[in-house]
Amino acid sequence: MGGAMLARWIADGADPANIVAIDPGAPDVPAGVTLVAAPPEGRPDVLVLAIKPQLLDAVAPSLASTNPDVLVSILAGVEEATLAAKIPARAVVRAMPNLPVAIGRGVVALHTTSDDARVRDVAEALMAPLGLVEWIADEALFHAVVALSGSGPGFAYRFIEAMAAGAAALGLPAAMAERFAIATVEGAAALAADSDVGPAVLADRVASPGGTTRAGLDVLDHGAAMRRLVADTLTAAARRSAELAEAAR
Ligand SMILES: NC(=O)C1=CN([C@@H]2O[C@H](COP(=O)(O)OP(=O)(O)OC[C@H]3O[C@@H](n4cnc5c(N)ncnc54)[C@H](O)[C@@H]3O)[C@@H](O)[C@H]2O)C=CC1
Ligand SMILES: O=C(O)[C@@H]1CCC=N1
């Protein structure tokens, strides 16, 4: 995820000479970005923490002397207070991005208890090129955000896969089914984003009375099957976020 954010920052015009990536795994980084295995000397303006939540305790000691102005954490679950206790920084901002930030069409939720306007400005300016950016005042809601927009692309990809598989089972060549499924979801989402009515009304607009869409929607709606499945999916993801928070405390 750190790589996806970095790719977008560079594409948006950030100067790679100003960026140091710290990763002992030696991933590919954009040209001009300095890659190091351990934190270098010096105090960064912003330190973006993009390790797995389970690695926090192992990694935190190596960051103890970096003392950034703003620590931005994208770790699922892990709370601001936990981060502040383990990594010294002037301010901590939690961010929950998602994978489409790579093309500037992601969602980034932000949270901080800092009342320093400059900290908020720095976080907003950093995230602006990545997509839709919104502040979440109540940190407890971050578990829902992780489930919805953080994990959501994974759920959307499963739905696209299922649409394509369903069409292939009806005889459409698999590659064509995948192309059509992706373009259908992309177009439907773009129209919804541009519309002054909600998705329920749009679904009804697609469904001609007595037609094919209604026949399909009846299957999704029977016993609220789709709603239940999606609610259970998001609940499981949010529960896992809470577990990660607890384990990191
Ligand atoms: N994958 C996603 O779509 C999203 C992930 N996140 C968060 O991003 C974080 C990373 O997740 P992924 O990118 O999926 O995992 P990943 O395993 O792909 O990336 C983790 C990176 O951390 C590096 N790393 C390991 N030990 C390190 C150390 N000691 N110091 C510095 N870097 C080290 C690894 O080499 C790797 O490049 C997690 O906290 C996750 O909750 C948040 C939103 C979305
Ligand atoms: O699966 C995960 O834990 C991360 C956080 C949100 C999306 N991916």
Side-chain angles (χ1 to χ4, degrees), residues 52-135:
K52 288 182 189 304
Q54 296 91 331
L55 280 181
L56 180 59
D57 280 335
V59 171
S62 72
L63 298 173
S65 60
T66 54
N67 207 10
D69 224 26
V70 184
L71 173 69
V72 177
S73 165
I74 67 163
L75 277 55
V78 184
E79 291 147 329
E80 183 184 357
T82 301
L83 294 156
K86 295 184 191 245
I87 302 174
R90 204 169 68 79
V92 177
V93 176
R94 278 187 71 186
M96 183 43 54
N98 65 9
L99 205 53
V101 298
I103 56 165
R105 301 199 49 195
V107 174
V108 186
L110 294 172
H111 169 83
T112 185
T113 52
S114 171
D115 55 7
D116 184 337
R118 212 179 53 81
V119 168
R120 289 173 165 262
D121 288 350
V122 165
E124 274 180 46
L126 191 64
M127 300 303 170
L130 305 187
L132 172 68
V133 180
E134 294 197 18
W135 288 95

Side-chain angles (χ1 to χ4, degrees), residues 31-245:
V33 169
T34 303
L35 176 66
V36 294
E41 292 289 313
R43 191 175 166 200
D45 295 329
V46 177
L47 178 65
V48 179
L49 192 63
I51 54 164
K52 288 182 189 304
Q54 296 91 331
L55 280 181
L56 180 59
D57 280 335
V59 171
S62 72
L63 298 173
S65 60
T66 54
N67 207 10
D69 224 26
V70 184
L71 173 69
V72 177
S73 165
I74 67 163
L75 277 55
V78 184
E79 291 147 329
E80 183 184 357
T82 301
L83 294 156
K86 295 184 191 245
I87 302 174
R90 204 169 68 79
V92 177
V93 176
R94 278 187 71 186
M96 183 43 54
N98 65 9
L99 205 53
V101 298
I103 56 165
R105 301 199 49 195
V107 174
V108 186
L110 294 172
H111 169 83
T112 185
T113 52
S114 171
D115 55 7
D116 184 337
R118 212 179 53 81
V119 168
R120 289 173 165 262
D121 288 350
V122 165
E124 274 180 46
L126 191 64
M127 300 303 170
L130 305 187
L132 172 68
V133 180
E134 294 197 18
W135 288 95
I136 306 281
D138 179 359
E139 188 173 14
L141 294 179
F142 245 65
H143 300 309
V145 169
V146 173
L148 176 59
S149 55
S151 297
F155 307 147
Y157 296 138
R158 272 289 192 280
F159 182 71
I160 291 171
E161 243 191 307
M163 294 264 284
L170 291 173
L172 214 59
M176 178 184 276
E178 189 171 294
R179 278 197 307 278
F180 280 25
I182 291 169
T184 297
V185 171
E186 186 182 31
L191 184 66
D194 202 35
S195 175
D196 52 7
V197 296
V201 172
L202 290 172
D204 281 342
R205 280 187 192 165
V206 184
S208 313
T212 62
T213 312
R214 182 58 59 200
L217 285 175
D218 284 348
V219 175
L220 290 179
D221 294 346
H222 183 71
M226 177 81 166
R227 272 187 186 244
R228 281 170 192 263
L229 184 62
V230 173
D232 288 352
T233 302
L234 264 62
T235 299
R239 191 182 306 123
R240 183 64 190 137
S241 175
E243 287 169 3
L244 290 169

